[in-house]
Amino acid sequence: MAIRVYSCIGRALLPLIFAGYCIGCGSKGGTGAPTLSITGPAQVRLGGTAQYAITDTGASSPSVVWTVTGGGTISSAGLYTAPPVTGSVGVATISAYLASNPSIAASVSVSVINPIPSISTVSVDVGELASSITVKGSGFVPGSTLLIGQTAVTPSSITSTSMVARISTLSLQMNSIPVQVTNPDPGSASSNVATLAIPQPAATITAATRLLDQASFGPTLAAVSHVQSVGINGYLQEQFAMQPSLVTEMPNTYDQYAHMYPSCQNIPDCASDDYFIQNMIFAPDQLRQRVVFALSKIWTVSLTSVPSFYFPHFLNLLSEDAFSNWRQIMQDVTMSPAMGIFLNSVNNMVQSPTDRPNENYARELLQVFSTGTSRLNEDGSLQVDGSGNPIPIYTQAQITAMAKVFTGLTFANEDCSTPSAPIYLPPNDNTVFGANCPMAILDSYHDHTEKHIINGVVLPAGQNTQADISQTLDAIFQDPDLPPFIVKQLIQNLVKSDPSPDYVQRIVNVFKDNGSGVRGDMKAVLQAILLDPEARAGDDPSAERTDAGHLRDPILWFMAVTRALNPSLLGPPNDISAVNYLDYYLYLFGEQPNDAPSVFGYYSPQYRISGANIPAPEFELELPATLFNEAQILDAYILTNRMSPQSDGATIYFDTSASGTLGTLASQGPDALLDAISVLFYHGQMTSAMRTAFEGALQGLPPDQMVRVAVYLAATSPQFRVIQ
C-alpha cells in the first residue's frame, strides 16, 4: 500500500490521487516538493506486529514521527504492535509526519483482526455421561469454537491461553480424536490440529450397554459405569462368582399362604411370579437371573396346570444350576415336582404288567428340552437323507420304552423323605405335598423290564429307578444333536435370533469340550456365547450399526424400561403387592412369568416373520393388542412416578421426578438428558435424526415432564424394541 501526500493539488492531478490527501502547496513532479507515502499491511492480528515504512518523501531530511490511534503502539522505526490477544478487534489509524515539517503528513487505516489460534496441549477428564476437555495454547478469543472430531463445541470458558468445553462422553468412545480451535471473524482462522488421547475404560459405553442387554435385564447408569470399569470379561467373572438370589419358598397350605401374602391371597400364583420379577429387577446376580429366564423358556413348566406352590423349588433349582452343567440341569428338572405335575411323570406308576405309562415327559424331554425331532449338523442346520427329507432322531417305540423309565416317582414328604406309598394331589383340595423337595422314588412302582431307548442304548431288566433314569439322561446328554439344539436356543435367548452357522458351531465345540474335557459346562458355554466375535460385533461405536439381534419379548422390554428408571422398592416385609402390578401387566402383554400356554412356550424358537422368512421367534408375540397395552400401561406408570396398589402397601418408585437422576440432567437442558436416554435405550448410539426429533418434542417442557416424554418416546421406539 502506498499513500502519497502532496504539497498542493492542481485540478489536473485529481485523477492521480488515491488513499491520500494534500497539505500545503506545490506539486511532486514540477517543483520537487516533499511528499509522504506509507507502505505496510492493511491487516494486523491481535498480538501481532507489522512494519510500516515511508517512501517517496522528496525531502532532504526524511526523518518522520510515527503515531497510532485506535489501539496498539508503534515504534520510531515504524514497527506497529497490535493490541494483545486480550484486546479488542477494530480499526487503528497509523500516521506519520516529517519531523522537519509536521504539516507534511500521511495516515493509513489498519484492520486489527483476531489472532491465529495455536494448540499446545489438550486433555480430557472423562465422566459418566459428560466429559470435560481442556485446551491449552495461545490466540484464543471470545467466540472461539472447538472442533472435536466431527462435533463443533462452544467452550464453557475461554481465556487467551486456555479453554474448557463439555462434551458428551458418548462421542469419545475411541482411543484418540482430532481437536482444532477456530477463531471467529474478523480474520477467522483455525489452529493446528492436535490429537486428544482418550483414556479408554475397560469397556466403552456401547460395549457395556450391549453386554447388559444380553447378560442382564437391562442397563442402569450404575451398571454401565461398573462394566466400563471392570470390563466385559471382568463383569462376567464377577457374575459367575455371585451367590444365587433365590425365590422365597412358599408355605405348604393355602391358609399359611393367605397370612404371609395378604396382598395376593386370592391369587396364589402371584407370589412365585412376583419374587421372580423382583429378582429380574433388583437382584445383583443379573446374569444368573437372565439365564434362569432363558432356561425357563426351554424347560417350560406352566401355571396353567401346576399349582404355584411348586414354582419356588423349580425356579431355585434353575438358579442354582444355571452355571453348573447341562447334565445336572437335566437331572434336577427331571426330579422336580413342578415338572412331574406338568408332564405327568409324578405318580406315573406301574402296578400291573398291563399298565401303560404316560409318555408326556419322555416325549417332551427329547422333542422340546434336549434334541428336537430331527437330526442336526453341529452348526445347527438340518440334516437330510438322500431324498432331502429330515432324519428322525427317535421312534415311537423308543418313546414308549422311555416312558417306562420315568415310572415310580411320587411327591416327597414335607421333610423331603420318601413316603411309604404314592402321594396324590386330591382334586379340589388345597393340600400341598413336597413342594420344596425333589420327587421321591418308590422303586416298587417302577417298570423293571428291559428298555430299548435312543441311539441303541439298552437298559437291562431288573434295574432300579435311579439307574434307569441316570442312564437314560446320560444317553440323551451324549446325543450329538443336543449341543446344537440347546446352544442355538441359548444364543437366541441371549444375543440374536438368527446366529450364523459358524457362531453355533463355535459354541457347540465349547459345549462338547470346555477345554478340560468336560461336556456341558454351562459357565464355559455362556462365556463363549457372550464373548464370541458375533456377539461383540456391535461394540465398536464407530462401526456401522448392524441389524443383527433380536426383538425384546414383553418381559425383557418391560424389565429393561423399569431398570432404566432406577427403581426402588419400599414397603413392609413380604409385601410384594407392588411387584404384582408388574406381573398383571405382563399378563396383559402376553408373557406372564411361568404361565406359557403349553410346553412349547410363549413362542416357537423356529418362528419366522410372516412374508419375510426371517428367523425372529419373539415376533410371534408382537401383536397389535400387545403393543396397545404396552403403550397404555407405560404411559400410566411413568406418569405417576410410582407403582403401588394402596397407600400403605409396598411401593416401587421410578426415577422420573424433577429431583431424580434423569430429572437433574433434564434441568440442565435436553442435551444432558438425551445423553442418558441414549445410553439407557440405544447403547449410546442415538442417531442425529432421532436426537433432533426428541429435542423438538422436549422443547419448553419442565424437567419432570421432559423425563417422562423422553422415556415414553424411547421405550416405544422400534430402535429400542430390537436389541442390536
Side-chain angles (χ1 to χ4, degrees):
M1 176 186 297
I3 303 172
R4 293 188 171 93
V5 180
Y6 298 89
S7 60
C8 185
I9 299 177
R11 181 179 296 272
L13 296 178
L14 283 176
L16 301 177
I17 299 173
F18 60 96
Y21 54 89
C22 296
I23 300 176
C25 58
S27 67
K28 178 182 177 186
T31 66
T35 64
L36 290 183
S37 178
I38 301 176
T39 60
Q43 294 179 330
V44 182
R45 295 187 180 274
L46 286 173
T49 61
Q51 183 64 57
Y52 291 87
I54 295 295
T55 60
D56 300 331
T57 66
S60 58
S61 177
S63 177
V64 297
V65 176
W66 293 91
T67 62
V68 61
T69 59
T73 62
I74 193 165
S75 71
S76 60
L79 180 64
Y80 172 65
T81 301
V85 172
T86 55
S88 300
V89 296
V91 177
T93 301
I94 296 175
S95 302
Y97 59 86
L98 288 176
S100 60
N101 185 359
S103 64
I104 307 301
S107 65
V108 61
S109 294
V110 178
S111 295
V112 179
I113 60 177
N114 282 318
I116 297 175
S118 176
I119 299 175
S120 56
T121 63
V122 58
S123 60
V124 62
D125 180 13
V126 179
E128 187 176 80
L129 292 174
S131 296
S132 178
I133 292 180
T134 300
V135 180
K136 300 287 187 180
S138 61
F140 308 151
V141 298
S144 294
T145 57
L146 273 174
L147 185 65
I148 304 173
Q150 301 299 314
T151 304
V153 181
T154 300
S156 56
S157 67
I158 301 176
T159 70
S160 62
T161 58
S162 176
M163 64 174 63
V164 177
R166 300 279 286 175
I167 189 171
S168 170
T169 301
L170 300 177
S171 61
L172 301 178
Q173 297 187 85
M174 55 210 64
N175 292 325
S176 62
I177 194 168
V179 176
Q180 191 175 33
V181 175
T182 298
N183 281 349
D185 280 327
S188 177
S190 297
S191 71
N192 56 307
V193 177
T195 299
L196 171 62
I198 304 169
Q200 288 298 309
T204 65
I205 287 176
T206 297
T209 50
R210 289 190 72 253
L211 177 73
L212 290 169
D213 259 336
Q214 297 164 348
S216 78
F217 282 95
T220 66
L221 293 179
V224 172
S225 179
H226 182 69
V227 175
Q228 285 194 275
S229 175
V230 301
I232 289 175
N233 190 50
Y235 175 79
L236 295 181
Q237 299 312 312
E238 285 182 347
Q239 289 288 306
F240 287 139
M242 282 187 181
Q243 292 298 307
S245 298
L246 301 179
V247 176
T248 301
E249 291 185 350
M250 294 171 64
N252 295 319
T253 69
Y254 276 70
D255 181 62
Q256 293 174 356
Y257 175 91
H259 285 88
M260 286 186 70
Y261 306 107
S263 58
C264 56
Q265 58 184 335
N266 297 320
I267 316 171
D269 295 353
C270 82
S272 60
D273 284 7
D274 294 352
Y275 277 116
F276 191 22
I277 293 171
Q278 191 164 307
N279 282 346
M280 291 179 187
I281 300 171
F282 298 107
D285 55 331
Q286 280 287 297
L287 174 59
R288 186 186 297 271
Q289 298 304 319
R290 180 66 184 272
V291 173
V292 169
F293 180 51
L295 293 174
S296 73
K297 292 197 290 182
I298 297 173
W299 295 93
T300 301
V301 174
S302 178
L303 287 161
T304 55
S305 59
V306 180
S308 61
F309 300 94
Y310 292 91
F311 274 88
H313 175 266
F314 179 71
L315 294 172
N316 286 343
L317 74 84
L318 293 183
S319 185
E320 291 170 332
D321 290 351
F323 300 153
S324 63
N325 191 285
W326 191 261
R327 177 63 179 81
Q328 185 66 50
I329 296 173
M330 295 174 69
Q331 175 69 35
D332 290 343
V333 170
T334 296
M335 299 303 293
S336 162
M339 182 62 79
I341 296 170
F342 188 56
L343 292 180
N344 311 107
S345 59
V346 68
N347 294 319
N348 185 25
M349 300 301 184
V350 172
Q351 302 182 65
S352 75
T354 61
D355 286 344
R356 181 175 179 178
N358 189 291
E359 296 179 357
N360 275 358
Y361 186 65
R363 186 181 309 279
E364 307 310 347
L365 177 60
L366 290 174
Q367 179 181 351
V368 180
F369 305 151
S370 301
T371 63
T373 59
S374 302
R375 292 290 176 193
L376 301 174
N377 296 307
E378 287 195 339
D379 63 5
S381 59
L382 186 68
Q383 287 189 31
V384 294
D385 60 20
S387 301
N389 298 314
I391 303 170
I393 292 178
Y394 52 83
T395 65
Q396 176 56 43
Q398 290 169 329
I399 294 298
T400 300
M402 286 177 56
K404 299 176 182 179
V405 170
F406 302 105
T407 56
L409 301 175
T410 192
F411 295 105
N413 293 320
E414 292 312 309
D415 62 358
C416 296
S417 62
T418 301
S420 57
I423 297 177
Y424 293 89
L425 290 179
N428 303 317
D429 194 325
N430 289 339
T431 306
V432 180
F433 297 102
N436 300 316
C437 310
M439 288 188 289
I441 294 174
L442 292 176
D443 207 49
S444 59
Y445 291 86
H446 179 66
D447 185 307
H448 294 279
T449 62
E450 182 180 82
K451 306 169 187 71
H452 292 256
I453 61 171
I454 65 168
N455 297 331
V457 175
V458 178
L459 305 179
Q463 213 166 226
N464 64 32
T465 309
Q466 186 60 65
D468 272 358
I469 291 176
S470 294
Q471 291 175 26
T472 299
L473 295 181
D474 285 343
I476 298 172
F477 181 58
Q478 294 297 330
D479 189 278
D481 292 279
L482 185 143
F485 183 79
I486 295 303
V487 158
K488 187 169 184 178
Q489 289 190 69
L490 289 173
I491 294 173
Q492 287 179 317
N493 273 287
L494 298 175
V495 178
K496 60 190 305 187
S497 294
D498 190 21
S500 71
D502 288 344
Y503 188 5
V504 175
Q505 177 71 73
R506 288 191 294 269
I507 310 306
V508 164
N509 292 341
V510 175
F511 189 102
K512 291 165 57 181
D513 185 346
N514 68 349
S516 300
V518 177
R519 182 182 180 91
D521 179 353
M522 284 295 291
K523 190 181 296 185
V525 167
L526 293 168
Q527 181 168 290
I529 287 173
L530 294 169
L531 295 181
D532 189 86
E534 199 160 325
R536 306 270 55 86
D539 288 357
D540 182 356
S542 65
E544 184 177 351
R545 293 188 69 179
T546 171
D547 290 333
H550 67 96
L551 180 76
R552 298 178 197 268
D553 53 24
I555 286 179
L556 289 182
W557 175 81
F558 202 37
M559 295 304 103
V561 175
T562 300
R563 281 175 56 80
L565 292 176
N566 192 28
S568 57
L569 177 63
L570 301 175
N574 296 320
D575 187 340
I576 49 177
S577 53
V579 180
N580 187 236
Y581 267 52
L582 275 72
D583 189 25
Y584 175 67
Y585 293 158
L586 289 170
Y587 161 74
L588 296 178
F589 300 163
E591 196 182 28
Q592 191 173 22
N594 310 314
D595 201 21
S598 74
V599 71
F600 300 105
Y602 305 101
Y603 48 80
S604 168
Q606 283 78 45
Y607 181 81
R608 291 173 174 265
I609 297 177
S610 178
N613 198 30
I614 298 173
E618 295 84 358
F619 271 89
E620 194 169 0
L621 294 180
E622 193 79 342
L623 304 173
T626 300
L627 295 175
F628 176 80
N629 286 335
E630 289 174 354
Q632 289 281 88
I633 290 168
L634 175 65
D635 178 63
Y637 93 81
I638 64 175
L639 180 65
T640 58
N641 193 56
R642 57 186 284 167
M643 187 174 295
S644 175
Q646 52 196 17
S647 60
D648 59 347
T651 301
I652 295 178
Y653 289 95
F654 300 110
D655 193 1
T656 59
S657 68
S659 60
T661 301
L662 296 179
T664 301
L665 292 171
S667 67
Q668 303 171 24
D671 280 345
L673 173 62
L674 292 180
D675 282 346
I677 294 295
S678 180
V679 170
L680 293 169
F681 291 89
Y682 303 117
H683 302 156
Q685 294 191 289
M686 180 188 287
T687 65
S688 57
M690 290 175 65
R691 198 173 186 101
T692 299
F694 271 88
E695 288 170 347
L698 302 181
Q699 194 68 36
L701 298 179
D704 56 343
Q705 192 173 350
M706 197 183 294
V707 170
R708 292 165 188 150
V709 170
V711 168
Y712 184 86
L713 292 176
T716 55
S717 66
Q719 293 86 346
F720 173 67
R721 295 191 68 87
V722 176
I723 302 175
Q724 293 185 321

